[in-house]
Amino acid sequence: MTQPRKLYIRTYGCQMNVYDSERMAEALGGQGYVETDSPDDADMILLNTCHIREKAAEKVYSELGRFKGLKAAKPDLKIGVAGCVAQAEGEEIMRRQPMVDLVVGPQSYHRLPDLEARARAGEKALDTDFPEEDKFAHLKSRPKAARGPTAFLTVQEGCDKFCAFCVVPYTRGAEVSRPVERVMAEARDLVERGVREITLLGQNVNAYHGAGPDGADWSLARLIHELAEIDGLARIRFTTSHPNDMGEDLIAAHGTCEKLMPYLHLPVQSGSDRILKRMNRRHTAEGYIRLIERIRAARPDILLSGDFIVGFPEETEADFQATLDLVEAVGYGSAFSFKYSPRPGTPAAERPQVDADVASDRLQRLQALLTRQQRAAQDAMVGRDISVLFEKPGRLEGQMVGKSEYLHAVHVADPAARAGRIATVRVVESGPNSLSGRLA
Ligand code: 5AD
Ligand code: SF4
């Protein structure tokens, strides 16, 4: 028998890249590769890259530079770049880094075995097409290996919203939803292999409109209700959503579907209507706050999370203050905030930019407020009994870490807290980034 070849994948960026990396590993598994967690003994290194904010591409080049020695020592080593930087700058990468053998954009992963074979034969293999066929349908189905209690499942990809700052519509292409039956089959398979919580992924997941078995287009809410019928699947989440696609049925599902977790990531980006308009978000701050009220009416304990950009072109101090006001009005349990970063080819990159120091200062002020809210929401859990799905050993001896329904990390030191078990935990302490407690 020939030795299996070793594949090292490094993943940057969002959860969809995590999912894609798993699928690429499976696709190359069919070519005789097994995964390794060290680049040193790899026969193939794949960087699954992110292009959402600045310097992402630069990071790829410096990372590639570090593999130069490896490649010199092992001329058979193949180096590939996948993901959104590959999509945006594929040919440029090949030009600037001759050691790269293979470049594959996010819509072409099903062609990876062929690209790998070409790279092995000494060719430079590049594919950044947006093919018509469904890449997931063509990817090899998952081997029936056991896996951890939580999994991502991509149900929708791409985006038609064209927010003025965002590269996603260019790197991931137009919005596409996977058919309901394919999603259901993959979910059932995951559950058979031990998964208890599935997070449905999409750049615009709540715009999901996959073809149902009845011929009609199903909404995300309908898909979630169907998934909830799967025995053994205990928890469902979805991310990321756009406020304008929060349909009535999805809002209602937060109140009626027990398996749908009380956590919602709903980015607003800014609290200023002037900036929202320039961002091409197509909603107002007031509209967003009313929407949150409706969601909270359906599920009063829901924990809200958001994304924010400060220093968007032409943002004034008054605009920024409006963002702080919105944050005060909503009250977030978790949040991600970023300094605006001009992305080549997007409309906002051409607008007058905000001074970098001013943007840094705003980011600090916003993060201080968000951190306060986050801590308050977490501290409020102390003394409560909450449901926790245990996932893996914690850093301390004998400790397990899991997630609350609200996505808090929870530590418990108890042998009965086994991975995959869902148990009630009495929360005893709230630390900087996690809760700890004991089995109730
Ligand atoms: N600059 C800064 N942040 C950005 N995001 C997307 N594009 C940019 C950009 N050009 C942020 C948004 C989005 C999150 C995934 O990344 O907040 O919701
Ligand atoms: Fe980017 Fe999200 Fe806007 Fe789509 S909705 S353009 S993915 S920020």
Side-chain angles (χ1 to χ4, degrees):
M1 222 181 94
T2 53
Q3 282 278 59
R5 287 201 283 252
K6 293 202 176 136
L7 170 67
Y8 173 76
I9 305 188
R10 185 168 298 175
T11 307
Y12 301 85
C14 66
Q15 294 153 328
M16 194 172 288
N17 268 7
V18 175
Y19 176 85
D20 285 345
S21 288
E22 283 173 17
R23 303 305 304 259
M24 285 193 280
E26 284 166 12
L28 289 172
Q31 308 289 105
Y33 281 90
V34 295
E35 270 192 276
T36 167
D37 34 8
S38 149
D40 299 333
D41 62 350
D43 300 287
M44 163 105 120
I45 294 177
L46 258 186
L47 300 183
N48 192 6
T49 61
C50 171
H51 203 231
I52 195 95
R53 277 173 295 275
E54 71 193 343
K55 298 196 189 123
E58 287 318 309
K59 226 187 317 183
V60 173
Y61 289 114
S62 70
E63 198 61 48
L64 286 170
R66 291 211 260 151
F67 294 139
K68 227 175 216 149
L70 281 180
K71 179 100 173 175
K74 195 175 184 181
D76 270 357
L77 170 65
K78 297 296 167 195
I79 296 186
V81 180
C84 292
V85 178
Q87 187 63 45
E89 315 201 348
E91 292 181 15
E92 170 81 8
I93 295 173
M94 287 269 188
R95 250 198 317 277
R96 270 180 65 179
Q97 275 294 3
M99 64 193 260
V100 172
D101 304 286
L102 184 161
V103 167
V104 58
Q107 301 313 323
S108 306
Y109 292 156
H110 54 298
R111 297 178 176 167
L112 200 51
D114 172 53
L115 293 167
E116 188 273 342
R118 281 167 48 199
R120 272 280 140 233
E123 250 182 79
K124 295 277 173 195
L126 178 135
D127 192 337
T128 50
D129 286 352
F130 285 101
E132 285 293 305
E133 70 262 24
D134 171 3
K135 67 172 175 185
F136 295 114
H138 287 73
L139 278 175
K140 271 192 168 310
S141 69
R142 290 162 178 274
K144 298 273 175 197
R147 42 174 306 158
T150 63
F152 296 128
L153 201 176
T154 293
V155 300
Q156 179 278 338
E157 199 171 349
C159 182
D160 297 337
K161 293 275 190 293
F162 290 93
C163 297
F165 50 81
C166 186
V167 285
V168 165
Y170 310 95
T171 56
R172 291 274 171 169
E175 212 172 289
V176 181
S177 296
R178 297 176 68 195
V180 171
E181 279 176 328
R182 291 222 190 98
V183 173
M184 292 301 298
E186 193 169 324
R188 281 192 205 97
D189 177 64
L190 288 168
V191 171
E192 276 168 28
R193 293 158 57 196
V195 169
R196 307 214 59 199
E197 171 179 305
I198 291 180
T199 301
L200 305 175
L201 297 182
Q203 265 95 24
N204 223 268
V205 73
N206 60 342
Y208 178 85
H209 55 97
D214 55 359
D217 271 3
W218 285 30
S219 66
L220 184 66
R222 196 161 171 202
L223 177 69
I224 287 170
H225 284 295
E226 188 76 4
L227 286 163
E229 298 291 319
I230 300 178
D231 283 338
L233 179 61
R235 292 174 159 198
I236 302 168
R237 305 180 186 276
F238 61 90
T239 197
T240 288
S241 299
H242 190 285
N244 291 0
D245 292 314
M246 244 7 249
E248 259 341 300
D249 59 347
L250 189 55
I251 295 173
H254 277 285
T256 56
C257 179
E258 263 180 40
K259 292 184 179 181
L260 184 57
M261 292 293 99
Y263 176 99
L264 178 64
H265 183 64
L266 196 59
V268 64
Q269 315 296 356
S270 167
S272 154
D273 288 344
R274 211 176 67 91
I275 294 298
L276 287 169
K277 199 166 169 68
R278 284 172 163 72
M279 285 179 164
N280 193 32
R281 290 287 294 179
R282 301 167 202 261
H283 61 77
T284 60
E286 182 67 19
Y288 178 83
I289 290 171
R290 294 283 94 81
L291 172 61
I292 298 292
E293 285 169 358
R294 279 157 55 215
I295 296 165
R296 283 197 166 127
R299 181 78 203 230
D301 63 335
I302 199 161
L303 190 142
L304 288 162
S305 160
D307 288 343
F308 300 88
I309 296 177
V310 302
F312 185 80
E314 299 164 276
E315 184 189 67
T316 63
E317 178 60 26
D319 293 318
F320 174 64
Q321 189 57 51
T323 298
L324 295 177
D325 292 345
L326 178 139
V327 171
E328 291 281 9
V330 171
Y332 289 90
S334 138
F336 305 89
S337 47
F338 313 100
K339 229 187 310 183
Y340 170 70
S341 144
R343 309 313 294 133
T346 59
E350 312 297 321
R351 308 292 307 164
Q353 303 294 312
V354 169
D355 177 78
D357 292 336
V358 170
S360 299
D361 173 66
R362 288 181 189 161
L363 185 64
Q364 261 183 23
R365 285 152 67 200
L366 175 62
Q367 287 184 339
L369 172 60
L370 289 167
T371 305
R372 261 203 315 280
Q373 289 192 345
Q374 205 160 322
R375 270 314 286 263
Q378 202 189 280
D379 293 349
M381 307 306 283
V382 175
R384 284 180 53 183
D385 288 343
I386 59 173
S387 154
V388 175
L389 168 58
F390 292 104
E391 289 175 24
K392 54 180 188 235
R395 260 183 299 148
L396 302 181
E397 182 74 27
Q399 195 185 50
M400 282 298 283
V401 57
K403 293 277 163 52
S404 75
E405 294 184 305
Y406 309 98
L407 212 56
H408 293 118
V410 184
H411 290 92
V412 170
D414 191 322
R418 286 180 307 277
R421 182 175 167 203
I422 295 176
T424 303
V425 171
R426 167 71 50 90
V427 181
V428 178
E429 206 184 308
S430 171
N433 293 304
S434 66
L435 297 168
S436 54
R438 53 174 183 270
L439 292 183

